[in-house]
Every structure is written in C-alpha cells, then in structure tokens.
Amino acid sequence: MLAAGRVLAKPNTLGRRAASTIALKCSQAVYSAALSKSPQTLNKVQTELASISSSIKDVPALNTYIHNPTLSAKDRAAGLDSLFKAASEREPVSDVTKNLFLVLSENGRLGETEGDIDGFNALVSKYKGELEVTVTSAAPLTKDVLTRLESTLKQSQLAQQAKVLKVTNKVNPSVLGGLMVDFGHKTTDLSAASRVNKLNNLLQQSV
C-alpha cells in the first residue's frame, strides 16, 4: 500500500480525470497487495470491503462520515474505527483493508471509497473468471425473470468464455420500463426511455 500512498498525494491539485486514474491505481494496489499474500487474503479483503460498502449505504452516520469533505485530518482518523468495525466484528481486519483506509484518510480521499471498492471488485472478478452483468429495470425483476434472463445470457459467446456469470438487478425508475443490460464492456438499452429519446431526436431532425 506504500505505492497507493504515493499515488494519492496532493488531491487538491487534480482534476476529475486524474482522480479517476488515481482510484484505478489505488484499486490495483489493494488487489496486488492482497493477492501477493494469498488467494485467501484476497477473499477476506473482498468480504471486508463488501461489508463496508453495505454499511455505507445502510448507516447514515457512516455515509455522512465518508462523504464529508470538511472533516479535519484528526476527525477522519478518529472515524476509521467505525469503518473497521463495519468490515468485521468477529475477527481482526486485514492489514490490507486497514492500509487502504489509512491512506484514503490521510489524503482526504475517503469520498472515493465506493469507487475504489468497485475497481477492486472488478479486478477480483477478472482474476476469478467472473463475468458481471448488470440489468437495470424500472422495478425489481422477479426471480423467475432473472433466471430466464441468465439462461439467455449464458448462451452468448462472452458468457461461455467466463467461468462464472453473475447477474445483478439494479432499479432505476427513469428507464420507464424495459431493460438496460451492461454486459462486459457492452451496454444494450432496451428501455422505453431510450425509444422515447430516439423518437424525440427524429422529430427534432424533421423540424
């Protein structure tokens, strides 16, 4: 994580693209540090980060702490115990996870926690041969619909090359019905909103 610490220096001088690049390098540093110890450590870190991610969404105080840019360095450091407790209450938190948040806290980048976790999970999925598919719908899909959709997706060439296919359903009312499918590096927009936008574009072009 020393490398990640160097990457995260001087946050106030960076633009959005640079910050995104830093998040990717930080995710890579965490992934490399965990895997260099053992595959078991990699799994442990992933479990800890998943617990932290869930807690950030479910616990208002923790969410505020993560996204409050006005906290002093002392206050940021004092709040880390809450994060570590969210990661694991039954056993000690791994050094890799601790080092990640120490670096983010020291550099005032706790607000990028979720992006760092997403980047880490993407690297772990690639390592495990997993293909993640995100299906966005206006309302939650039933288990039966998700099962049929997964069966269809498994027939694709991309899915057949993967060891594991993971389908996640996200809800976004703005899609206005239909589905948006993020499949590997491809996005298929089957939503009503997309059809409405296409129609509006055609009408504007004809005026």
Side-chain angles (χ1 to χ4, degrees):
M1 283 306 298
L2 290 177
R6 290 195 296 269
V7 168
L8 290 172
K10 300 181 182 178
N12 293 332
T13 63
L14 298 168
R16 185 173 298 176
R17 177 177 294 183
S20 177
T21 300
I22 287 173
L24 289 174
K25 290 184 177 181
C26 186
S27 299
Q28 180 67 60
V30 176
Y31 166 78
S32 298
L35 186 58
S36 67
K37 290 180 178 293
S38 70
Q40 291 75 22
T41 300
L42 185 69
N43 290 333
K44 177 176 173 57
V45 171
Q46 186 176 34
T47 299
E48 291 171 348
L49 294 183
S51 296
I52 289 175
S53 182
S54 295
S55 296
I56 291 173
K57 295 176 182 177
D58 298 337
V59 182
L62 200 56
N63 188 289
T64 299
Y65 163 70
I66 287 292
H67 295 102
N68 187 351
T70 65
L71 289 179
S72 66
K74 183 178 180 180
D75 289 337
R76 291 197 302 269
L80 289 179
D81 284 343
S82 297
L83 276 178
F84 298 150
K85 185 177 181 180
S88 178
E89 294 186 357
R90 297 182 179 179
E91 57 184 61
V93 177
S94 66
D95 289 339
V96 175
T97 297
K98 282 187 176 180
N99 288 341
L100 166 63
F101 287 100
L102 285 171
V103 169
L104 292 178
S105 174
E106 290 171 0
N107 290 275
R109 307 198 76 89
L110 285 171
E112 297 179 4
T113 292
E114 291 153 309
D116 290 337
I117 293 176
D118 287 343
F120 171 82
N121 286 334
L123 292 169
V124 175
S125 291
K126 184 177 181 180
Y127 167 75
K128 294 181 177 180
E130 298 173 345
L131 176 62
E132 294 191 356
V133 179
T134 300
V135 181
T136 304
S137 54
L141 299 177
T142 64
K143 185 176 180 180
D144 179 60
V145 171
L146 282 174
T147 299
R148 285 188 281 122
L149 182 59
E150 184 174 346
S151 297
T152 301
L153 292 171
K154 284 182 177 178
Q155 299 175 16
S156 70
Q157 184 177 0
L158 191 59
Q160 290 175 1
Q161 294 173 352
K163 295 179 182 178
V164 181
L165 179 66
K166 297 176 64 176
V167 180
T168 302
N169 181 207
K170 290 187 177 182
V171 177
N172 183 353
S174 67
V175 300
L176 302 178
L179 302 171
M180 289 184 63
V181 182
D182 291 310
F183 193 75
H185 297 294
K186 299 180 180 179
T187 297
T188 301
D189 192 343
L190 305 176
S191 66
S194 173
R195 294 192 290 271
V196 170
N197 288 335
K198 290 179 181 178
L199 176 60
N200 286 337
N201 289 335
L202 288 173
L203 291 174
Q204 290 175 2
Q205 291 173 7
S206 63
V207 174

